[in-house]
Amino acid sequence: GIVSLISLAILSYERYCTMTGTTEADTTNYRKTWTGIVLSWTYSLVWTAPPLFGWSSYGPEGPGTTCSVNWHSKDANNASYVVCLFIFCLVIPFVIIVYSYGKLLCVIRQVSGFNKGMGRTREQRILIMVVVMVICFLLCWLPYATVALIATFGKPGLITPAASIIPSILAKSSTIYNPIIYIFLNKQVSKML
């Protein structure tokens, strides 16, 4: 799940850099692509390995069918890890995504000011795609993060195993949605299909 979140943040920033001209799109050079993949996996490993070394722990989630961070432990060791996960693996990637797409939309709006007809349609398509991606990101991860924070800081037993199933499934299925959104809302990709 964290690899998915970090990959979305890296992709949004890379798309922003490519579209604004700070870097050129080079389809023959895969170095940047591999750097992004290695960076996302390394960052994710840094944030998922600590429970293996004693900072919090892993355990059954929900009805016991999946494994996750031990959200229900109330000790400071566990709570600090949950807060760090929330900040570094949800809030920061989300801020990067919003910043990158926000800046990208500003640049597209400036460019479309020069080219009224074609630019306006393109701007609207990109805006729709960005809004849908951000909404899906929030719909997938915000319920899961909320349940985790309530389980960690709320009254014991407030989050039942049954109540945590849907947020868990949404978060774990988040990797499916962005390719679908990109395929259906990107005119170049849909023309090839």
Side-chain angles (χ1 to χ4, degrees):
I2 293 174
V3 170
S4 166
L5 292 170
I6 303 307
S7 296
L8 287 175
I10 289 172
L11 284 170
S12 68
Y13 185 73
E14 193 279 328
R15 186 175 293 159
Y16 161 71
C17 290
T18 301
M19 295 292 285
T20 58
T22 56
T23 61
E24 283 189 35
D26 183 5
T27 57
T28 61
N29 184 358
Y30 295 106
R31 193 170 122 198
K32 234 173 41 170
T33 304
W34 280 108
T35 302
I37 292 169
V38 169
L39 180 64
S40 66
W41 279 92
T42 303
Y43 189 87
S44 301
L45 184 61
V46 164
W47 285 108
T48 55
L52 302 175
F53 301 103
W55 189 18
S56 189
S57 63
Y58 287 116
E61 179 181 49
T65 56
T66 60
C67 181
S68 185
V69 174
N70 183 1
W71 308 117
H72 300 286
S73 175
K74 302 288 184 191
D75 65 351
N77 181 23
N78 184 63
S80 64
Y81 180 68
V82 169
V83 168
C84 284
L85 271 181
F86 182 76
I87 292 168
F88 291 99
C89 297
L90 180 70
V91 173
I92 290 176
F94 181 68
V95 167
I96 291 170
I97 289 168
V98 169
Y99 173 82
S100 298
Y101 285 136
K103 287 292 201 178
L104 181 60
L105 287 173
C106 289
V107 168
I108 291 170
R109 185 162 286 160
Q110 288 174 346
V111 170
S112 68
F114 299 118
N115 186 1
K116 293 280 187 205
M118 189 74 156
R120 183 65 71 198
T121 306
R122 182 171 180 245
E123 176 186 339
Q124 289 170 344
R125 277 197 328 268
I126 291 174
L127 178 63
I128 290 169
M129 184 170 67
V130 168
V131 168
V132 169
M133 284 178 141
V134 170
I135 288 171
C136 282
F137 179 92
L138 287 175
L139 287 175
C140 288
W141 287 103
L142 209 49
Y144 190 70
T146 303
V147 165
L149 290 173
I150 291 171
T152 302
F153 297 107
K155 293 179 186 175
L158 188 61
I159 301 294
T160 64
S164 66
I165 292 172
I166 291 175
S168 176
I169 290 171
L170 277 172
K172 289 171 178 27
S173 67
S174 67
T175 56
I176 298 168
Y177 305 123
N178 283 322
I180 293 170
I181 293 166
Y182 193 74
I183 288 170
F184 286 110
L185 294 179
N186 189 324
K187 207 173 195 178
Q188 293 170 332
V189 174
S190 61
K191 281 182 183 177
M192 289 190 281
L193 299 175

